[in-house]
Amino acid sequence: MSQKRYDQLLASHQGLMNGTLRDVILPSILGKEADDMLYWIGKDLAREYPVATHDDLIILTHQLGLGDLQLQRQDKTSQVWRLAGPIVAERIHRDEEQTSFGLELGFLAQEIEFQLGTVAEAELSDRHHEYVDITVQNDPKTDADSERSELVTFIHVTAPQKDAEAPKKKRKRPLLKKKREK
C-alpha cells in the first residue's frame, strides 16, 4: 500500500479498516474476477439482511456503509437507483474508473428480487464524479428461485432517530412560572 492510499483511506468516511478490506484486500484476493465475484458476494450479503421495503433498503444500505441510496424512477420492469454520499464520492475520486461497485450491484439486485418475487439483475448505468446510477431490471414473468424466496424472513431495520442527535433544551423558568400561577 502506498503512502497516498494509506493517507486517503485514513482520512476517508470509510475508515482505514473498511476501505482496506473493501478496496484493497477483496480485489487482491479475487483478482481479475473481482467485479463478478463481488456481485455474488453482494447477493449473499442481501440474503443475510433481507428487507421488505424500499425505505428499509435505503436505511440498510447507509448502515452497511455502502452509501446513500435514493430511488430515481421506476416502472414495471426496472428501477433506477442513485448511490451517492461521501463514501461513494471518495471511492470514485480515489480509484476513478477502477472503482468497483459489484458488491453494491449484487446487493441491490438481490434485495429487489426478494421484494418483488421476480428475478432481478443490476448494472451500473451511469458513473459520475460524485455518484453512480444503478439500473435494476426485473422480469415480472419469471419468478425468483422459489426455494430461496419462500424461506426469506425480512429483518426489521432500526431507523436512525433524529431526536436523539439534538439534545433538548431545558426549560426550567417557564415551568416554574406556570406552577406559581396556579
Side-chain angles (χ1 to χ4, degrees):
M1 180 180 294
S2 70
Q3 183 67 45
K4 180 180 176 184
R5 166 75 59 140
Y6 169 80
D7 292 341
Q8 288 172 333
L9 289 173
L10 188 62
S12 74
H13 286 85
Q14 268 183 304
L16 182 61
M17 183 62 178
N18 289 338
T20 300
L21 282 172
R22 175 70 177 85
D23 296 325
V24 178
I25 293 174
L26 278 175
S28 176
I29 292 170
L30 300 174
K32 294 178 184 177
E33 303 299 318
D35 273 346
D36 292 335
M37 295 298 293
L38 285 170
Y39 187 90
W40 292 103
I41 292 169
K43 286 177 108 23
D44 284 340
L45 180 61
R47 290 181 189 114
E48 290 294 320
Y49 302 110
V51 293
T53 68
H54 287 352
D55 289 340
D56 285 350
L57 178 56
I58 291 167
I59 293 166
L60 180 62
T61 301
H62 181 77
Q63 290 172 336
L64 287 170
L66 300 177
D68 300 325
L69 191 63
Q70 184 179 40
L71 182 62
Q72 297 296 300
R73 62 184 177 278
Q74 68 178 354
D75 58 34
K76 279 183 11 182
T77 60
S78 70
Q79 301 174 7
V80 176
W81 292 85
R82 178 159 293 162
L83 186 64
I87 290 173
V88 173
E90 287 172 351
R91 290 185 66 225
I92 291 170
H93 288 291
R94 187 170 52 242
D95 294 326
E96 295 176 11
E97 292 298 317
Q98 274 61 47
T99 306
S100 170
F101 288 96
L103 181 83
E104 293 82 352
L105 294 173
F107 175 76
L108 198 53
Q110 187 62 56
E111 290 289 1
I112 299 304
E113 187 169 307
F114 282 144
Q115 290 177 11
L116 298 177
T118 64
V119 172
E121 293 183 10
E123 65 181 7
L124 198 63
S125 53
D126 209 357
R127 179 188 298 261
H128 297 272
H129 295 292
E130 305 295 321
Y131 63 88
V132 293
D133 287 336
I134 300 169
T135 300
V136 180
Q137 297 283 343
N138 67 293
D139 182 0
K141 296 176 185 174
T142 308
D143 290 338
D145 180 1
S146 61
E147 189 175 303
R148 274 198 188 142
S149 297
E150 289 173 8
L151 297 175
V152 70
T153 302
F154 293 115
I155 65 169
H156 299 285
V157 175
T158 303
Q161 296 179 352
K162 294 180 181 177
D163 294 336
E165 295 174 5
K168 294 183 180 179
K169 295 180 182 179
K170 295 181 181 179
R171 299 182 183 185
K172 290 182 180 178
R173 290 187 183 173
L175 291 176
L176 291 174
K177 282 185 177 182
K178 286 183 182 179
K179 284 183 181 179
R180 288 184 188 163
E181 291 175 3
K182 290 182 179 180

